């Protein structure tokens, strides 16, 4: 029974592939040839670009919160500035969170109010400086991660040789029909093939391709039969 269910799943998967790839290889109009063939690629690329823009936007929005320093260079100031020997020294990164401020202490006594002016340490700003340093590191890593993910996605999809090499690395053996299929289904079809190869067992993937090939051959035979009958 499990074998029957597996074959049924492979057949449904192959039919879904035929439906999607027929859509991607439909060249009856410019819309079909350009948009449908690349629609999945454009959607994923736009989503990854949105992640990148969102993380960069958070960085700039946080920078706008501060009027006395730049949050964009906050982490750089931390790492390039020598560590001070005492806690009272003012460092470049302290522009955002000053820990030394002028203050006055009022004391009441028999002679009245005695006001002493001096410098005080804001301990809360010391904590804030470390919290925002961690936040800055997280944002920078997120931005570079999004940039790398977007670049790799575009390169693997648009550079056919690299994309096909990545596909072959996940399957049992190289097949000429698979290569022809990979080069003909457009960027959206290549994404589908790569995702299938990476997420299903190589044997299952090979069965999917064989079943898809048989469906296309059967479809061609039926089409030629109708032509002869006409």
């Amino acid at each position: 029974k499990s074998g029957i269910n597996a074959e049924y799943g492979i057949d449904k998967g192959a039919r879904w592939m035929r439906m999607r790839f027929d859509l991607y290889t439909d060249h009856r109009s410019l819309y079909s040839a350009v948009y449908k063939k690349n629609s999945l690629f454009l959607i994923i690329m736009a989503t990854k670009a949105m992640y990148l823009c969102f993380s960069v936007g958070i960085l700039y929005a946080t920078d706008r919160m501060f009027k006395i320093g730049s949050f964009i260079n906050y982490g750089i100031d931390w790492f390039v500035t020598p560590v001070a020997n005492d806690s009272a020294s003012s460092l470049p990164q302290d522009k955002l969170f000053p820990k030394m401020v002028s203050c006055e202490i009022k004391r009441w006594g028999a002679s009245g109010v005695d006001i002493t002016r001096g410098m005080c340490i804001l301990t809360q700003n010391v904590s804030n400086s470390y919290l925002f340093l961690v936040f800055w590191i997280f944002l920078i890593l997120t931005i570079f991660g999004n940039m790398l993910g977007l670049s790799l996605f575009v390169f693997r999809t648009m550079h056919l040789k690299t994309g096909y090499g990545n596909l072959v690395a996940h399957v049992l053996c190289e097949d000429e029909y698979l290569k022809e299929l990979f080069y003909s289904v457009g960027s959206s079809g290549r994404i589908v093939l790569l995702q299938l190869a990476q997420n299903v067992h190589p044997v299952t993937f090979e069965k999917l391709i064989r079943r898809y090939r048989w469906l296309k051959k059967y479809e061609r035979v039926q089409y030629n039969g109708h032509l002869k009958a006409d």
Side-chain angles (χ1 to χ4, degrees):
K1 187 175 180 180
S2 60
I4 296 175
N5 290 336
E7 290 299 324
Y8 177 72
I10 289 173
D11 183 68
K12 286 197 68 174
R15 291 180 184 275
W16 178 86
M17 285 173 58
R18 183 184 65 172
M19 181 269 295
R20 297 305 302 179
F21 291 167
D22 285 349
L23 183 67
Y24 297 150
T25 55
D26 181 11
H27 302 305
R28 288 177 294 181
S29 66
L30 182 63
Y31 172 80
S32 299
V34 176
Y35 176 73
K36 289 184 180 180
K37 199 170 186 177
N38 301 287
S39 57
L40 184 59
F41 167 74
L42 294 174
I43 291 171
I44 297 177
M45 186 177 70
T47 304
K48 289 181 177 291
M50 182 183 67
Y51 290 155
L52 176 59
C53 293
F54 186 68
S55 54
V56 172
I58 292 177
L59 180 65
Y60 276 94
T62 308
D63 182 68
R64 298 285 294 177
M65 292 170 50
F66 300 97
K67 302 296 183 182
I68 57 176
S70 173
F71 180 71
I72 296 176
N73 299 323
Y74 186 60
I76 299 175
D77 291 337
W78 266 89
F79 296 122
V80 301
T81 305
V83 179
N85 294 326
D86 59 280
S87 59
S89 299
S90 180
L91 300 173
Q93 60 264 30
D94 294 335
K95 291 179 181 179
L96 295 185
F97 300 100
K99 59 185 178 183
M100 298 295 298
V101 294
S102 60
C103 60
E104 58 181 30
I105 301 174
K106 295 182 180 180
R107 292 177 292 186
W108 286 264
S111 59
V113 180
D114 180 28
I115 300 177
T116 303
R117 293 180 174 83
M119 299 296 291
C120 300
I121 297 178
L122 292 178
T123 55
Q124 184 61 45
N125 272 2
V126 176
S127 302
N128 287 338
S129 64
Y130 285 102
L131 288 174
F132 274 81
L133 175 63
V134 173
F135 180 54
W136 182 89
I137 294 173
F138 174 78
L139 270 180
I140 296 301
L141 290 177
T142 301
I143 290 172
F144 277 101
N146 288 331
M147 289 175 61
L148 181 63
L150 178 61
S151 302
L152 287 176
F153 171 74
V154 173
F155 180 74
R156 288 175 178 174
T157 306
M158 301 306 295
H159 194 270
L160 300 183
K161 188 175 181 180
T162 302
Y164 183 68
N166 191 26
L167 175 66
V168 172
H170 291 88
V171 299
L172 289 176
C173 59
E174 189 172 357
D175 185 278
E176 284 300 321
Y177 180 78
L178 178 61
K179 185 175 183 179
E180 180 185 345
L181 180 64
F182 183 83
Y183 277 79
S184 64
V185 291
S187 59
S188 295
R190 290 194 287 273
I191 292 172
V192 172
L193 284 173
L194 285 169
Q195 289 301 313
L196 285 172
Q198 292 171 4
N199 293 284
V200 302
H201 194 275
V203 175
T204 304
F205 181 79
E206 187 178 0
K207 289 181 178 179
L208 273 172
I209 297 299
R210 287 180 180 176
R211 183 61 179 171
Y212 170 81
R213 185 177 185 178
W214 183 88
L215 288 172
K216 293 298 292 182
K217 189 179 293 185
Y218 180 74
E219 181 184 78
R220 198 176 302 115
V221 169
Q222 276 194 321
Y223 179 74
N224 292 334
H226 284 305
L227 286 179
K228 290 179 180 178
D230 293 340

